[in-house]
Amino acid sequence: MTAAGPRLIGCRVHALDEVDSTQTYLARLAADGAPEGTVVIARHQTAGRGRRGRSWWDAPGQSLLLSVLLRPGRPAADAPQLSLVAGLAVSEALERAAGVGAQLRWPNDVLVGGRKIAGILPEAASRADGTLLHVILGIGINVRQAAFPQSVGQPATSLRLATGRDHDPALLREMLLERLDDRYREWLAGGFGPLRPLWRSRWAIADRAFTMPDGRAGVAEDVDQDGALLARAPDGRLVRVLSWDPEEESHATRH
Ligand code: BTN
């Protein structure tokens, strides 16, 4: 579905050559009253941030690095759903711009061939009444890398490695902003529920065992209407999991 009317996401685009982090730069614009849909893009970040305090590596000009300002005015508890919405948009953009089949790893990674090609970082600010002031949605996509430094620490891939040919980050960027615009509007209108079947059809870890936040082994069975992971615990009960970090899990498994 294509949304009617002018685009919300990308209504203003700040394109930078180098920045510490597009997240930090956009947070300053947000504090100064930037409108919803403002995007900051950089060719290179000197202090790119990943989830859980990790850094996000890039080599200049090789990645699509951007942050989007959202002001949905929803309860703060809804913010994690935006990672799922963004993951869906990223996977669709990869397919449409480069013909690549991408899978989603709950809550916010995009994989190609089991390797991470994109990461999503939602950073939310809330009001005293518990509603969202804004969400800064950071997206990093590996586009032109031929190899990754060891510091990346988990199996990674790029569009180039996945397809054996070079890709234009500008084309991917346009497709991504379009897909994000459509999916975000759908989320605003109806929440995660209507997007859930699409998200689940790309889900990479259905029926897989993983370590739940309480330390027990669980089997990922479903993702519910609110975007929470539903996992089967060893005692047979279905547990609602609200956060999980696949990279910590892979370190735990490796050592
Ligand atoms: C992760 O998988 O850990 C999330 C990575 C998010 C990286 C993007 S790149 C653009 C934006 N700016 C940042 O500093 N981080 C996000």
Side-chain angles (χ1 to χ4, degrees):
M1 185 175 101
T2 305
R7 238 199 243 168
L8 186 62
I9 309 291
C11 59
R12 288 191 196 168
V13 177
H14 299 249
L16 311 171
D17 192 47
E18 184 179 292
V19 69
D20 48 0
S21 160
T22 55
Q23 295 288 98
T24 311
Y25 192 95
L26 186 51
R28 280 194 295 267
L29 295 179
D32 288 346
E36 174 164 65
T38 300
V39 170
V40 174
I41 297 188
R43 271 188 81 251
H44 177 51
Q45 298 184 128
T46 53
R49 291 205 289 277
R51 293 177 61 216
R52 307 211 176 194
R54 287 188 287 262
S55 58
W56 181 260
W57 170 86
D58 75 273
Q62 309 246 303
S63 304
L64 188 57
L65 308 164
L66 60 84
S67 299
V68 183
L69 178 62
L70 304 174
R71 297 188 184 276
R74 295 282 179 84
D78 290 353
Q81 294 176 21
L82 289 167
S83 285
L84 308 189
V85 174
L88 180 59
V90 169
S91 68
E92 290 175 335
L94 290 172
E95 275 175 24
R96 294 188 188 188
V100 157
Q103 297 82 46
L104 300 169
R105 182 167 63 187
W106 189 90
N108 45 16
D109 290 334
V110 183
L111 311 179
V112 171
R115 294 174 166 265
K116 182 161 166 174
I117 197 165
I120 295 159
L121 177 68
E123 294 183 324
S126 307
R127 298 191 182 90
D129 66 359
T131 58
L132 286 167
L133 179 62
H134 65 240
V135 175
I136 296 180
L137 200 56
I139 301 176
I141 306 181
N142 304 324
V143 180
R144 291 187 143 144
Q145 289 87 346
F148 291 87
Q150 272 213 323
S151 59
V152 167
Q154 65 153 338
T157 192
S158 66
L159 261 191
R160 174 174 167 182
L161 287 168
T163 62
R165 60 193 163 86
D166 196 23
H167 293 271
D168 181 0
L171 188 70
L172 183 62
R173 168 185 122 174
E174 275 318 296
M175 189 55 80
L176 176 59
L177 296 184
E178 186 213 292
R179 296 317 307 137
L180 261 180
D181 192 64
D182 272 7
R183 295 307 183 195
Y184 178 59
R185 285 168 190 255
E186 286 173 42
W187 180 79
L188 281 178
F192 181 66
L195 298 171
R196 178 172 166 251
L198 278 170
W199 195 97
R200 287 170 82 239
S201 69
R202 292 160 193 263
W203 189 20
I205 69 153
D207 297 329
R208 291 240 198 109
F210 73 107
T211 309
M212 298 193 297
D214 64 7
R216 291 184 299 165
V219 175
E221 279 200 1
D222 209 344
V223 171
D224 74 12
Q225 296 285 332
D226 297 322
L229 180 67
L230 299 176
R232 189 70 60 186
D235 60 9
R237 289 192 197 168
L238 209 51
V239 177
R240 242 176 133 244
V241 177
L242 296 177
S243 85
W244 175 61
D245 187 54
E247 290 175 44
E248 276 172 22
E249 172 106 15
S250 66
H251 283 291
T253 327
R254 256 189 252 146
H255 298 302

